[in-house]
Amino acid sequence: MIGTKTIATLGLLAGGFALAGALDSLSLERIVARGPGALFLIGCFAAVVGTLMFRFWRLGEPSGHYFRWARDATLWETEAQLIGTGGWRITIGENRHEALDLGPRAQRLICIAIALLLALASIGSRALDLLGRFRHSVTSPNATYCPEVEKVDTALDPNAPGCELVRRAYALGYAQSLGDCEARTRTQATGAPCTLRQRDEPLLHYSWRRLDGFWASLRQNMGSAHTQKLWRDFVARFHRMDALRKAEEEVLGSAPHASHHIFTNLPDPKNGAFREATCADRYRWLAHRPPAGSGATRASLVFEHVVGQLLFESRYEPAAGYCREYQVHWGAPTDICQRIAASPEATLDRLGALPSVRAALERYALGKELESLAVRQRPLGPSSIVSFQCYLEGEAPERKSTDFSLDGFRFTAEEIHVPVTKAGSVLYVDRYDAVAKLFVRGFHYGALLSQAGLEQTPTAGAETSLARHDNLLMRLYGLEGFDIYLDPAWIADRPDLLEVYPYQIHLKNYVQMFRRQYRLERGRL
Amino acid sequence: MRARALLLLSIAAATAHAQPEQTYRADLRVAYLKAALGTARETPAETLDRAYEYARVLDRGACASAAVRLKVECLMTAARRYCKNKKAADARRCPIYMDLAMSNVLADKQLITTDRRYEIMRRYRDPRHELAHEVRRVQGALAVDFRLRMDKVGDEKDDALAKHIDQYCVLTADTTSLAWQACASSLVWFITREQPKKAP
């Protein structure tokens, strides 16, 4: 015979342990990871809630009823059968202080333990953070009011003295515009209109405004014009159900947003270059200089490095393209661009490039079809999302563009021929130039684009200065004014200087200049 | 015949002379860094502080220029003048510690980004002190990274340390945006200044 209160608290305790075990709340790492703030809150919660449970459920008093496991056939006077039959049943009866009950102290401890287990399972550092934020949002005086209108604070303006003068000159008519100061003023002043309660607005007016707004929106949404618009939208979508389904499939199936193909007569370096699964990681970071290799694949490694640096490396700024949408076709014949122009479908199919090209074009066509449903895609033409480039080494320098049609769209096969790199060369500035010109027609990296700018160090002076043996550290700063991507000149013969050259300055600038122009021509949907 | 031989000889000599001297070869870099380490250790801290302050004033004042090359030439001329009137041992050490100090001043821009510099200027009442603190913090972080990466580095002699500094700075120039000279001068400056001077 055992009291119902005892059964209930023991059951809850067992349930608490089961829950904590299932959620792994009792492992030492989890407990430590909560942090002192959360642990303190858990302790407080257990003490308060456990005591309240004990008080409100009157667990200090004996149970009013008991459970008994009855084996005999007859029931006692004040009890009834709960479950079971025959000689195996549990009965419930009125307790007259004869049932076994835990003492008040034990009950209180169990209550606190239950609350503790519950808190351990549900309170973490995130909960603590949310509680803190809730308190802040409730007690914040700005929660339901419009924020104060910020004044144009010229004192906080980092250009305050300059702006003050400009404003004064503008007011007197000496300047025609406020220039940057105007943009700053506007930035501070603009913002969406606030519909919350104004600071000086009476509560009744605010309530009326809310009610009026609700009524206006209800009338608008219940009006025939709105219903007709909804119906028209529904019909339009219903008629384009296939297109919508395809668009959904493309999103779920990660269909290509673009398809760019680079053909080269260089051999495959067989090092996993431009592999779809690994390229994002492979080109996230690259060394400043292409690898100094030798053998048949040296040119391929340099080409891979240059393409990776110009298009995909994200050390300096976001990549210019998604590498999975670029395919490099190694070992292509030297007339590959002519072949593509002559019979694009057959050639691309043979090279395995056609499926991805068609997928990108299909996505483009689908986007056009869905434009009427206000599903806007990026305003890019087919020649921006699909491109063909041929990089060919071993012939006299030449740059060609051949137009052709595929699936009703006009494309251009860009082709560049460059001589083979000299043996022993460690600086591949000409490769950067060739690849950049292949991707961006007419790309020219001149003095005006360079960080060195027009202050480009005179060659003779720099050469003499860097041939001296004193001030070795300081002299090297002079190299910052010498952009090897403009013209490597004498520095190409100084491998010692190439080792300590500040590539990060000029390579970064070169890549940025290239990408700025590349993005004008190519992109992804 | 003799004339032709003489002509060939003179052409060969001229060609040999035209070959540029590799002043930044790895062994020469290491030798220079070794000399810099030794000089920085031997020179009293106050002298180094004065040199750094002098370089800083010149960098912001008389030698301030948007053209790096002009600034460098100006600083080198100023360093030569500064060392001209030094006596005995200090005169020998001066060109090297001045190079080190000026290189450190020029490296400041690479150690603290423009955004961070601007933030410090806005936030702190004494930005100059905070900037110096920030430079020291970055140099410290660089020194810790150096110790961690070059796991063989310990209490070793200057020639081994110089070699390790050179290797580290060449290696990390690829991963960080820190030029070799900025990295090397920062490490030499920090390591020699933070280590307690050995009793003579």
Side-chain angles (χ1 to χ4, degrees):
Chain A
M1 194 185 304
I2 185 163
T4 47
K5 287 180 181 174
T6 304
I7 287 279
T9 48
L10 288 175
L12 281 173
L13 185 66
F17 271 113
L19 179 70
L23 296 173
D24 196 26
S25 310
L26 294 176
S27 67
L28 193 62
E29 293 87 7
R30 292 284 299 271
I31 292 172
V32 171
R34 283 166 209 271
L39 289 176
F40 180 71
L41 182 68
I42 288 168
C44 291
F45 180 87
V48 172
V49 174
T51 308
L52 288 175
M53 278 164 65
F54 177 76
R55 290 277 175 218
F56 282 101
W57 291 349
R58 294 182 187 169
L59 296 176
E61 299 167 17
S63 305
H65 293 84
Y66 65 82
F67 291 115
R68 187 171 69 88
W69 188 6
R71 287 187 179 179
D72 47 351
T74 52
L75 292 175
W76 294 358
E77 192 182 334
T78 56
E79 68 181 16
Q81 184 172 323
L82 188 67
I83 46 172
T85 51
W88 297 93
R89 53 193 177 168
I90 293 174
T91 62
I92 182 166
E94 207 171 300
N95 182 20
R96 290 174 184 161
H97 299 285
E98 68 265 62
L100 174 72
D101 259 324
L102 291 172
R105 281 189 182 175
Q107 286 283 26
R108 178 179 287 200
L109 271 177
I110 290 174
C111 284
I112 291 173
I114 292 165
L116 186 70
L117 290 170
L118 189 68
L120 275 173
S122 56
I123 299 177
S125 47
R126 183 173 171 272
L128 190 68
D129 188 41
L130 287 173
L131 281 172
R133 259 188 272 164
F134 172 73
R135 187 183 58 80
H136 179 73
S137 67
V138 167
T139 56
S140 169
N142 295 325
T144 54
Y145 286 95
C146 284
E148 295 279 4
V149 178
E150 284 182 24
K151 289 176 186 169
V152 178
D153 191 352
T154 50
L156 289 174
D157 190 335
N159 292 332
C163 279
E164 259 176 47
L165 281 174
V166 172
R167 286 191 191 104
R168 180 90 180 123
Y170 182 69
L172 292 171
Y174 292 120
Q176 289 187 339
S177 77
L178 286 170
D180 286 349
C181 299
E182 184 181 27
R184 205 179 291 281
T185 311
R186 206 181 296 138
T187 314
Q188 287 187 50
T190 54
C194 176
T195 56
L196 294 174
R197 190 176 169 188
Q198 299 293 322
R199 299 254 165 203
D200 55 351
E201 188 176 16
L203 181 65
L204 200 61
H205 184 270
Y206 176 58
S207 307
W208 174 254
R209 197 158 56 81
R210 295 293 302 269
L211 189 66
D212 188 45
F214 170 74
W215 180 244
S217 91
L218 191 71
R219 277 177 59 191
Q220 192 187 352
N221 292 339
M222 298 298 282
S224 61
H226 185 70
T227 317
Q228 280 173 7
K229 184 179 173 295
L230 284 178
W231 177 248
R232 275 200 307 275
D233 283 356
F234 172 74
V235 171
R237 283 179 178 270
F238 185 75
H239 286 305
R240 287 180 179 80
M241 194 66 89
D242 273 351
L244 285 167
R245 188 178 48 77
K246 270 187 196 166
E248 197 86 2
E249 277 174 10
E250 282 188 344
V251 172
L252 292 173
S254 302
H257 293 245
S259 180
H260 301 286
H261 295 269
I262 305 156
F263 303 89
T264 177
N265 61 342
L266 298 172
D268 187 347
K270 306 230 182 273
N271 60 348
F274 302 107
R275 195 173 289 160
E276 211 176 303
T278 55
C279 66
D281 279 337
R282 188 181 174 95
Y283 302 116
R284 185 170 296 133
W285 179 92
L286 291 166
H288 287 131
R289 287 194 291 169
S294 59
T297 58
R298 185 182 73 136
S300 306
L301 293 174
V302 171
F303 175 70
E304 182 204 354
H305 190 94
V306 172
V307 171
Q309 225 158 25
L310 288 178
L311 291 176
F312 310 128
E313 189 181 19
S314 52
R315 180 204 297 239
Y316 305 123
E317 62 170 40
Y322 188 31
C323 66
R324 287 180 63 182
E325 290 159 2
Y326 287 75
Q327 277 182 41
V328 174
H329 304 266
W330 302 100
T334 49
D335 61 344
I336 183 68
C337 263
Q338 274 73 47
R339 290 190 198 187
I340 291 171
S343 55
E345 203 168 333
T347 314
L348 292 174
D349 193 24
R350 200 171 58 250
L351 293 166
L354 199 58
S356 66
V357 169
R358 289 241 159 98
L361 291 175
E362 197 178 324
R363 188 170 198 138
Y364 169 78
L366 205 58
K368 282 277 167 206
E369 191 185 338
L370 292 175
E371 264 182 2
S372 59
L373 296 180
V375 183
R376 295 260 177 265
Q377 67 176 4
R378 288 190 189 170
L380 293 168
S383 60
S384 296
I385 57 161
V386 174
S387 70
F388 305 94
Q389 286 92 18
C390 306
Y391 175 87
L392 305 157
E393 272 195 17
E395 292 179 22
E398 192 186 2
R399 175 79 170 79
K400 272 197 284 192
S401 300
T402 317
D403 292 339
F404 65 95
S405 287
L406 177 67
D407 291 354
F409 298 110
R410 295 292 297 165
F411 296 103
T412 305
E414 304 289 354
E415 184 177 351
I416 198 160
H417 294 259
V418 286
V420 178
T421 317
K422 285 178 202 161
S425 174
V426 288
L427 196 62
Y428 301 97
V429 174
D430 58 334
R431 305 291 112 159
Y432 282 91
D433 189 50
V435 174
K437 279 182 174 151
L438 175 68
F439 285 123
V440 178
R441 200 186 310 180
F443 176 78
H444 173 68
Y445 184 71
L448 287 174
L449 295 182
S450 169
Q451 285 264 309
L454 299 174
E455 67 184 52
Q456 173 85 340
T457 305
T459 300
E463 196 173 354
T464 316
S465 173
L466 288 160
R468 299 187 61 159
H469 288 270
D470 62 332
N471 293 316
L472 280 198
L473 294 168
M474 222 191 319
R475 283 183 197 284
L476 274 183
Y477 286 95
L479 277 181
E480 288 177 13
F482 191 86
D483 189 349
I484 56 171
Y485 295 94
L486 271 181
D487 178 18
W490 58 275
I491 211 169
D493 301 324
R494 292 281 305 267
D496 58 329
L497 283 180
L498 290 176
E499 236 178 348
V500 291
Y501 180 80
Y503 292 93
Q504 67 277 7
I505 298 172
H506 299 294
L507 179 61
K508 177 185 173 185
N509 185 52
Y510 189 92
V511 169
Q512 283 175 337
M513 290 301 141
F514 167 76
R515 287 186 187 173
R516 198 173 292 173
Q517 295 189 37
Y518 182 76
R519 286 194 185 103
L520 295 176
E521 293 189 16
R522 308 267 185 250
R524 60 197 300 265
L525 292 172
Chain B
M1 192 68 181
R2 189 185 291 173
R4 187 177 291 175
L6 272 172
L7 183 68
L8 283 173
L9 203 65
S10 61
I11 289 171
T15 316
H17 182 71
Q19 282 295 318
E21 198 179 352
Q22 313 269 312
T23 44
Y24 284 90
R25 249 178 17 231
D27 56 330
L28 295 177
R29 292 198 306 262
V30 171
Y32 192 80
L33 289 180
K34 186 187 164 194
L37 282 165
T39 304
R41 284 192 212 285
E42 287 170 16
T43 313
E46 304 80 56
T47 312
L48 290 179
D49 286 340
R50 268 202 305 277
Y52 184 83
E53 194 53 29
Y54 180 70
R56 209 184 60 77
V57 169
L58 283 172
D59 177 57
R60 302 279 160 86
C63 292
S65 167
V68 192
R69 182 98 186 95
L70 279 180
K71 178 183 273 194
V72 169
E73 286 296 336
C74 174
L75 287 174
M76 283 194 296
T77 311
R80 269 193 291 275
R81 276 191 202 158
Y82 185 85
C83 295
K84 203 173 174 183
N85 300 323
K86 298 280 173 193
K87 288 175 190 166
D90 201 22
R92 181 178 51 80
R93 291 193 299 252
C94 183
I96 294 182
Y97 72 66
M98 277 309 286
D99 186 32
L100 202 55
M102 288 190 167
S103 175
N104 267 295
V105 168
L106 291 171
D108 275 8
K109 278 181 204 135
Q110 292 183 35
L111 295 180
I112 308 177
T113 59
T114 312
D115 289 345
R116 179 79 185 123
R117 190 177 292 271
Y118 179 60
E119 194 189 327
I120 290 172
M121 301 286 272
R122 282 189 64 173
R123 188 186 285 180
Y124 296 98
R125 197 169 287 176
D126 182 8
R128 205 182 122 188
H129 177 261
E130 276 307 316
L131 282 171
H133 182 73
E134 180 73 4
V135 167
R136 197 162 161 272
R137 193 187 64 76
V138 177
Q139 285 180 342
L142 190 72
V144 170
D145 188 51
F146 167 66
R147 291 277 180 198
L148 289 174
R149 284 211 206 189
M150 313 303 277
D151 52 349
K152 288 176 189 166
V153 175
D155 287 333
E156 58 198 355
K157 288 182 179 172
D158 279 354
D159 46 357
L161 185 61
K163 194 176 169 188
H164 279 133
I165 289 176
D166 176 60
Q167 281 173 353
Y168 172 80
C169 290
V170 168
L171 216 76
T172 51
D174 243 357
T175 55
T176 63
S177 294
L178 207 55
W180 177 86
Q181 66 276 16
C183 165
S185 57
S186 296
L187 280 177
V188 170
W189 192 258
F190 188 84
I191 289 171
T192 52
R193 308 231 40 206
E194 292 303 313
Q195 269 182 0
K197 303 251 178 203
K198 287 172 188 168

